Amino acid sequence: MGTPHLTLASASPRRRELLARLGIAPDAIAPADIDETPTKGELPRDYARRMAREKALAVPAAGFVLGGDTVVAAGRRILPKAENESTARHCLELLSGRRHRVLSAVALAHPDGTVREKLSETIVRFKRFSDSEIAAYLAGGEWHGKAGGYAIQGTAEGLVEWIHGSHSGVMGLPLYETRLLLKAAGFPLG
């Protein structure tokens, strides 16, 4: 019996790179096309889990489908993916000098229709940003399309005072939790 077939329900090159760290290359890439709007009153943890599950279930595949979602939360507030500089600036100003949570959910849809999921919760504390630090970060463009307006794997990492939890989860795919799901499903992992 060969390795199970895996479809990644994401176009993120970062998620592919993280999967490669586990020795896994997806057989197919099929980004899930779903509505990612939080429901009224939805808490960040519930939202992250729902998005990962819905992404995994939205992609038709012959084998397993891996979906993931990463949410940056300030208290009960879900910060948006920054699609413009104004949104990124607002997120960075909000996160400046304070800690926040990054919730990274991963869901594995099995061929029999069942879904197993895991959630990683990481606390990140940024230094207090000066106006020039925010301007320099925005000028670099790493914020584009990133939850909370930052990418920890880039220059923002130099602005982090401390992190408690999963660095890979903040990047977009919690490797420990992903490994547990894949290993339980029969994927060959060390």
Side-chain angles (χ1 to χ4, degrees), residues 68-113:
D69 196 68
T70 300
V71 173
V72 174
R76 297 168 58 103
R77 184 181 331 176
I78 298 169
L79 298 187
K81 287 183 182 172
E83 297 300 337
N84 58 55
E85 192 172 300
S86 173
T87 301
R89 177 180 296 281
H90 175 73
C91 289
L92 293 172
E93 288 171 350
L94 180 67
L95 298 174
S96 176
R98 62 186 288 195
R99 63 187 203 163
H100 61 278
R101 291 177 299 140
V102 179
L103 302 150
S104 193
V106 62
L108 187 65
H110 291 238
D112 66 7

Side-chain angles (χ1 to χ4, degrees), residues 7-177:
T7 298
L8 179 60
S10 172
S12 166
R14 187 174 55 259
R15 285 197 175 109
R16 284 194 304 272
E17 290 167 14
L18 288 166
L19 264 180
R21 292 181 187 181
L22 295 177
I24 298 286
D27 298 291
I29 305 293
D33 183 19
I34 63 169
D35 179 3
E36 295 190 38
T37 307
T39 61
K40 185 170 174 57
E42 189 170 32
L43 296 175
R45 178 179 283 119
D46 298 331
Y47 173 72
R49 283 187 174 131
R50 181 174 65 84
M51 286 295 95
R53 185 175 51 256
E54 286 186 13
K55 288 175 183 179
L57 290 171
V59 174
F64 292 87
V65 179
L66 186 69
D69 196 68
T70 300
V71 173
V72 174
R76 297 168 58 103
R77 184 181 331 176
I78 298 169
L79 298 187
K81 287 183 182 172
E83 297 300 337
N84 58 55
E85 192 172 300
S86 173
T87 301
R89 177 180 296 281
H90 175 73
C91 289
L92 293 172
E93 288 171 350
L94 180 67
L95 298 174
S96 176
R98 62 186 288 195
R99 63 187 203 163
H100 61 278
R101 291 177 299 140
V102 179
L103 302 150
S104 193
V106 62
L108 187 65
H110 291 238
D112 66 7
T114 61
V115 179
R116 292 201 169 76
E117 56 190 67
K118 298 279 183 190
L119 180 77
S120 163
E121 184 169 343
T122 302
I123 307 296
V124 178
R125 180 178 171 88
F126 277 124
K127 69 176 288 306
R128 183 163 303 284
F129 304 140
S130 67
D131 290 340
S132 62
E133 287 169 327
I134 290 176
Y137 187 74
L138 293 173
E142 290 177 349
W143 54 266
H144 191 266
K146 303 297 188 293
Y150 75 92
I152 198 168
Q153 68 274 19
T155 57
E157 190 168 14
L159 304 172
V160 173
E161 282 186 4
W162 53 263
I163 179 172
H164 179 70
S166 171
H167 189 271
S168 63
V170 179
M171 287 176 64
L173 189 69
L175 291 181
Y176 177 76
E177 290 79 2

